[in-house]
């Protein structure tokens, strides 16, 4: 799809083949509305077990099965509304439906809060006895063991029910942030080097203009982008400060030593692992990336390389274009090394409209993969006819294959692993695509371009998201010290995190400090740093595949099928990577350094 220079389509104007097919979730909107009402009625089938979970092992098994089946229905209802809203958040009907789901789930979750509280009152010995008596309970063993670990941080049943009833309020900061970005933020159009007016949106900035080979266009888009961010900084600061205050308060209520301890507990990751990712990468990677920035400055002929220039193509005259059809064909070829089962998932997703690739008014920016259990995954991207888009799509297809395999081999409660691991399958796809492209060209410029795409992947995960994580670490520290999180504080912390990493290799303006407003990950706990953890794992696995071939592939596919049946450390060790030590992180950073070396050498 080529983006019009004068018009952004409304959702109704987008060709059907560019949109996802939601009929696998519900045949029509009326069926969804009916199910939304129904789940609020049939929740009584679960609440009937109140006070009975301790009766015997068979009762516990039946209750868990009933809860699992019910949660599967709830997931479908919620995902349907969320996907429609992501496709067009400006549609009042979609806004209404998202609110209806949020209200309904708050009521449902309040009624279901007894389940966890009651399980937590079961003595550890009773749980072990039930597991021995009823073999089918083995399916839920990890979930039950995880609950035991949470006992020290669980409040009384009455308080847990109250908190569950307030879930809609707790999620309000994220909802307000999303709604404002999708519906309220408007950006001044820009002009290219030929004085032609171009449309401007956040999606267009992040998916096209930020990578523009033309310095004037790139910098004009950045100015339009940050000007609008500046207009919303106080509102967004109040929204984010509310989110942080909520998390800090919850950590105190639940008797955690810190908010960081609370947010890492759900990931089953130690603070040492968390700080290793942030500290080792920032310290060891900065010299490589500064060298990369200086190379760009030289080759682009810039007097200074500004923050908004960091994603400019190194070779502006060489920006491979591709159609969606050619890109998907290339991705499938690149992933054939993973075997027929894996590539068939890719083929099915591409052929059967798992992917929404249009650009339209109200569409969420960026890309994501949503994987409702019992249904196929759904991918959102904005396709812009550049080869870079193939890397974005390959990434999301990695998520899709992961959750498709996990969903087909595990129960609902054993499907989703820790977020610490979740970015490994997606980034491995990117590394395999790069390897395929490198092996199938003798063109020096194409090889150089592929290296820059690989560096783009590491930039995204080891720089962009890692510096978001550094910013997040700073903000939580300030919040726990009682520092008010005003817009100025938030912007200054973002600016400082960026400048510390890039040093004098990059010129910063005040707009850079506003870019914390780009990212909704801050409303998802300690999520940003996990991108670097996932890429650390995938770097090691890609190396194993290159050196060992089929045995490495087989063990990796087994890891994907395992879902969340193991804690992240154990799951990753199954692929022969040990994340309890800093070694793998240092190896990945060294690999980035070797890519920069290779790039510099290509110009000699």
């Amino acid at each position: 799809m080529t983006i019009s220079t004068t018009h952004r389509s409304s959702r109704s104007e987008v060709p059907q083949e560019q949109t996802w097919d939601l009929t696998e979730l519900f045949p029509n909107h009326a069926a969804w509305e009916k199910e939304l009402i129904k789940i609020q009625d049939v929740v009584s089938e679960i609440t009937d077990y109140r006070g009975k979970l301790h009766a015997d092992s068979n009762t516990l098994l039946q209750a868990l099965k009933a809860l699992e089946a019910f949660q599967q229905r709830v997931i479908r209802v919620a995902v349907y509304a969320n996907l429609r809203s992501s496709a067009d958040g400006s549609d009042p009907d979609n806004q209404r439906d998202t609110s209806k789901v949020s209200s309904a789930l708050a009521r449902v979750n309040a009624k279901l809060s007894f389940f966890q509280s009651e399980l937590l009152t079961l003595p550890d010995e009773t749980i072990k006895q039930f597991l021995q008596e009823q073999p089918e309970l083995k399916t839920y063993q990890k979930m039950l063991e995880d609950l035991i670990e949470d006992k020290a941080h669980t409040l009384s049943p009455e308080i847990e029910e109250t908190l569950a009833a307030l879930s809609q309020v707790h999620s309000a900061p994220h909802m307000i942030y999303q709604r404002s970005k999708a519906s309220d933020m408007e950006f001044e159009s820009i002009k290219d080097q030929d004085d032609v007016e171009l449309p401007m949106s956040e999606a267009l900035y992040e998916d096209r203009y930020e990578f523009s080979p033309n310095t004037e266009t790139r910098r004009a888009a950045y100015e339009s982008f940050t000007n609008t961010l500046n207009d919303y900084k106080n509102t967004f600061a109040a929204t984010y400060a509310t989110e942080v205050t909520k998390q800090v308060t919850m950590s105190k209520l639940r008797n955690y030593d810190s908010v960081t301890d609370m947010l890492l507990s759900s990931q089953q990751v130690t603070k040492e692992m968390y700080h290793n990712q942030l500290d080792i990468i920032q310290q060891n990677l900065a010299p490589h990336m500064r060298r990369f920035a200086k190379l760009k400055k030289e080759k682009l002929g810039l007097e200074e390389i500004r923050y908004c220039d960091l994603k400019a193509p190194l070779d502006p005259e060489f920006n491979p274009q591709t159609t969606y059809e050619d890109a998907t064909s290339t991705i499938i070829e690149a992933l054939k090394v993973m075997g027929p089962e894996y590539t068939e998932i890719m083929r099915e997703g591409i052929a059967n409209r798992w992917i929404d690739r249009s650009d339209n008014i109200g569409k969420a920016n960026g890309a994501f993969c949503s994987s409702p259990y019992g249904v196929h995954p759904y991918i959102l991207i904005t396709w812009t006819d550049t080869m870079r888009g193939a890397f974005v799509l390959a990434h999301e297809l990695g998520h899709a294959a992961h959750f498709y395999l996990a969903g087909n081999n595990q129960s609902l409660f054993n499907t989703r692993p820790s977020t610490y691991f979740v970015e490994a399958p997606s980034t491995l796809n990117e590394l395999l695509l790069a390897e395929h492209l490198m092996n199938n060209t003798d063109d020096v410029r194409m090889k150089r371009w592929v290296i820059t795409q690989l560096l783009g992947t590491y930039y995204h995960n080891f720089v962009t998201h890692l510096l978001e994580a550094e910013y997040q670490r700073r903000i939580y520290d300030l919040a726990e010290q009682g520092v008010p999180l005003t817009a100025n504080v938030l912007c200054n912390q973002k600016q400082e995190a960026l400048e510390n990493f890039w040093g004098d290799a990059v010129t910063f303006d005040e707009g850079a400090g506003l870019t914390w407003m780009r990212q909704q990950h801050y409303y998802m706990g300690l999520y940003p740093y996990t991108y670097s953890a996932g890429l650390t794992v995938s770097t090691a696995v890609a190396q194993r595949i290159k050196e060992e071939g089929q045995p490495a592939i087989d063990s990796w596919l087994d890891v994907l099928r395992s879902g969340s049946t193991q804690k992240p450390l154990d799951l990753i060790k199954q692929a022969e990577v040990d994340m309890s030590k800093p070694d793998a992180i240092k190896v990945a950073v060294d690999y980035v350094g070797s890519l920069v070396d290779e790039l510099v050498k290509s110009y000699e």
Side-chain angles (χ1 to χ4, degrees), residues 232-247:
Y232 285 81
K233 67 180 180 183
N234 293 305
T235 299
F236 277 31
T239 304
Y240 181 45
T242 302
E243 172 70 17
V244 173
T245 300
K246 176 193 76 177
Q247 298 289 11

Side-chain angles (χ1 to χ4, degrees), residues 18 133 240 254 270 284 318 326-327 333 355 372 388 438 480 490 524-525 554 575 604:
Q18 295 178 13
E133 292 176 355
Y240 181 45
R254 295 195 179 280
T270 66
N284 294 3
F318 190 81
D326 286 346
E333 280 297 313
I355 302 166
R388 177 184 171 273
M438 288 287 280
E480 291 193 309
L490 296 176
M524 303 176 184
D554 291 343
E604 293 176 354

Side-chain angles (χ1 to χ4, degrees), residues 206-317:
E206 296 199 337
D207 295 325
R208 169 165 288 200
Y209 297 137
E210 194 171 21
F211 302 90
S212 173
N214 183 271
T215 301
E216 290 180 22
T217 301
R218 191 172 59 249
R219 291 178 176 178
Y222 173 78
E223 183 177 1
S224 171
F225 182 63
T226 54
N227 282 346
T228 296
L229 291 183
N230 191 58
D231 290 340
Y232 285 81
K233 67 180 180 183
N234 293 305
T235 299
F236 277 31
T239 304
Y240 181 45
T242 302
E243 172 70 17
V244 173
T245 300
K246 176 193 76 177
Q247 298 289 11
V248 171
T249 302
M250 290 302 299
S251 70
K252 292 176 180 177
L253 286 174
R254 295 195 179 280
N255 298 311
Y256 284 95
D257 291 339
S258 70
V259 65
T260 301
D261 286 284
M262 182 186 77
L263 295 174
L264 288 176
S265 67
S266 61
Q267 298 177 2
Q268 301 183 319
V269 169
T270 66
K271 285 209 302 194
E272 183 181 18
M273 292 163 64
Y274 165 68
H275 290 302
N276 275 347
Q277 286 296 137
L278 270 66
D279 295 337
I280 294 172
I281 292 179
Q282 286 188 85
Q283 180 180 344
N284 294 3
L285 184 64
H288 298 308
M289 296 311 296
R290 291 174 187 179
R291 197 152 52 94
F292 182 42
K294 289 176 181 176
L295 179 67
K296 278 198 174 185
K297 175 185 172 182
E298 175 191 338
K299 297 305 175 184
L300 296 178
L302 301 174
E303 290 186 9
E304 60 180 9
I305 185 162
R306 301 179 188 175
Y307 177 59
C308 60
D309 296 324
L310 285 170
K311 293 185 180 179
L314 190 58
D315 185 351
E317 302 303 317

Side-chain angles (χ1 to χ4, degrees), residues 387-547:
M387 193 66 190
R388 177 184 171 273
F391 281 86
V392 177
L393 183 55
H395 179 104
E396 299 306 333
L397 284 167
H399 285 308
H402 177 198
F403 290 116
Y404 191 86
L405 287 168
N408 282 353
N409 288 277
Q410 305 297 337
S411 67
L412 171 61
F413 292 156
N414 288 333
T415 302
R416 301 194 75 87
S418 166
T419 52
Y420 184 80
F421 171 80
V422 80
E423 294 298 336
S426 53
T427 52
L428 180 62
N429 266 18
E430 293 186 64
L431 299 179
L432 293 176
L433 175 59
E435 180 77 8
H436 172 79
L437 293 173
M438 288 287 280
N439 290 340
N440 285 275
T441 183
D442 293 321
D443 187 330
V444 174
R445 294 180 83 186
M446 184 62 184
K447 285 179 179 288
R448 185 184 293 154
W449 182 86
V450 174
I451 292 172
T452 63
Q453 297 314 296
L454 270 177
L455 286 170
T457 295
Y458 284 95
Y459 182 101
H460 184 70
N461 295 277
F462 276 12
V463 180
T464 299
H465 288 315
L466 195 84
L467 293 181
E468 289 168 358
E470 170 59 26
Y471 167 75
Q472 197 173 30
R473 178 166 67 173
R474 289 161 168 259
I475 297 307
Y476 278 124
D477 284 346
L478 291 175
E480 291 193 309
Q481 295 169 30
V483 176
L485 301 180
T486 63
N488 282 344
V489 168
L490 296 176
C491 291
N492 288 340
Q493 289 299 316
K494 181 65 176 180
Q495 188 97 7
E496 191 174 300
L498 291 168
E499 291 180 355
N500 284 351
F501 182 82
W502 289 104
D504 61 3
V506 175
T507 301
F508 288 91
D509 66 307
E510 290 185 0
L514 292 162
T515 55
W516 64 268
M517 297 167 61
R518 294 173 70 163
Q519 190 52 266
Q520 66 174 327
H521 289 166
Y522 300 134
Y523 298 86
M524 303 176 184
L526 294 180
Y527 185 38
Y529 92 98
T530 64
Y531 279 87
S532 69
L535 184 52
T536 299
V537 173
S538 62
T539 302
V541 172
Q543 190 62 36
R544 280 196 66 214
I545 290 174
K546 197 171 182 178
E547 293 173 355

Side-chain angles (χ1 to χ4, degrees), residues 132 178 312 380 592:
Q132 289 178 344
Q178 289 180 305
L380 178 141
V592 179

Side-chain angles (χ1 to χ4, degrees), residues 4 57 66 90 102 123 125 145 149 171 227 281 309 335 364 418 464 508 510 573-574:
S4 166
S57 58
S90 65
S102 183
E125 289 304 316
E145 290 174 347
E149 291 182 5
S171 63
N227 282 346
I281 292 179
D309 296 324
L335 298 177
S418 166
T464 299
F508 288 91
E510 290 185 0
K573 282 180 180 178
Q574 193 177 325

